[in-house]
Amino acid sequence: MAPPPPSPPPISLKVVILLLRVLTAVFLVITVIILSTNSVTIESQGNSLKFHFKDVYAYRYMLSAAVIGLVYAVIQLFFTISQFATGIKNPLNYQVDFYGDKVISYLVATGSAAGFGVSKDLKDVFIALVALDSTDPVDKFFSRGYASASLLLFAFICLAVLSVFSSYAITKRPI
């Protein structure tokens, strides 16, 4: 009887953390791109109105949360790659990971929630109050808002998992 095939090596926690950091950065970059290019021209009874994401305060908040999260994600990605390459982790990084992951994840989560809320409410109100020739531009504008909020939600999930890992790592750190 032949021996069983060797099992694949377990995925290292470092690789999972690196993957989550990369995914967070990717989700946040795409969010910034979609949201910052979100504008629409609405035609109504012969009048034209140019509507930008910056005209909605919640979308501004989403963008600022995404940019702040992106800056944090890039810095953390640098530290994670450095640790992955050298195998040495600065003891200060445990604290930065622990507190930073928690604060930034909540910031990103509130940005996502604001985006979902304002997209739902403004779309309904906008269509109800304005006599539009076509609702396609409004649908497109708010669909981009939903897409940005969804990507922020995915970034939050990655950051929340990283927060759990950093909580675990701070208890196991060398003193």
Side-chain angles (χ1 to χ4, degrees):
M1 193 182 252
S7 61
I11 297 175
S12 170
L13 185 61
K14 290 179 185 179
V15 174
V16 173
I17 290 173
L18 181 62
L19 177 67
L20 286 170
R21 296 258 182 232
V22 169
L23 279 173
T24 301
V26 168
F27 288 143
L28 292 172
V29 165
I30 295 171
T31 298
V32 168
I33 291 170
I34 290 173
L35 198 55
S36 63
T37 60
N38 194 10
S39 66
V40 67
T41 303
I42 300 169
E43 301 289 331
S44 175
Q45 301 173 348
N47 295 327
S48 177
L49 173 67
K50 186 80 171 170
F51 201 58
H52 298 276
F53 81 93
K54 61 187 172 191
D55 296 328
V56 181
Y57 285 117
Y59 285 162
R60 288 184 192 181
Y61 180 75
M62 276 178 62
L63 183 67
S64 64
V67 168
I68 291 168
L70 182 59
V71 168
Y72 175 76
V74 168
I75 290 170
Q76 284 295 81
L77 192 58
F78 170 74
F79 286 140
T80 303
I81 291 171
S82 172
Q83 176 195 354
F84 194 72
T86 63
I88 300 170
K89 185 168 185 170
N90 185 343
L92 180 64
N93 285 358
Y94 288 103
Q95 299 291 329
V96 172
D97 288 350
F98 181 74
Y99 293 111
D101 287 344
K102 287 172 184 23
V103 170
I104 299 300
S105 68
Y106 286 122
L107 176 70
V108 169
T110 57
S112 176
F116 280 124
V118 78
S119 294
K120 166 75 172 89
D121 290 343
L122 278 184
K123 182 178 179 182
D124 294 342
V125 168
F126 204 83
I127 290 175
L129 293 179
V130 179
L132 299 173
D133 298 338
S134 171
T135 60
D136 289 342
V138 175
D139 287 338
K140 183 179 175 184
F141 181 79
F142 290 112
S143 291
R144 288 182 180 170
Y146 279 127
S148 297
S150 298
L151 289 169
L152 271 181
L153 182 63
F154 293 144
F156 162 72
I157 291 169
C158 290
L159 283 168
V161 172
L162 285 165
S163 176
V164 171
F165 289 152
S166 67
S167 297
Y168 178 73
I170 202 165
T171 62
K172 302 293 182 188
R173 71 177 177 189
I175 297 177

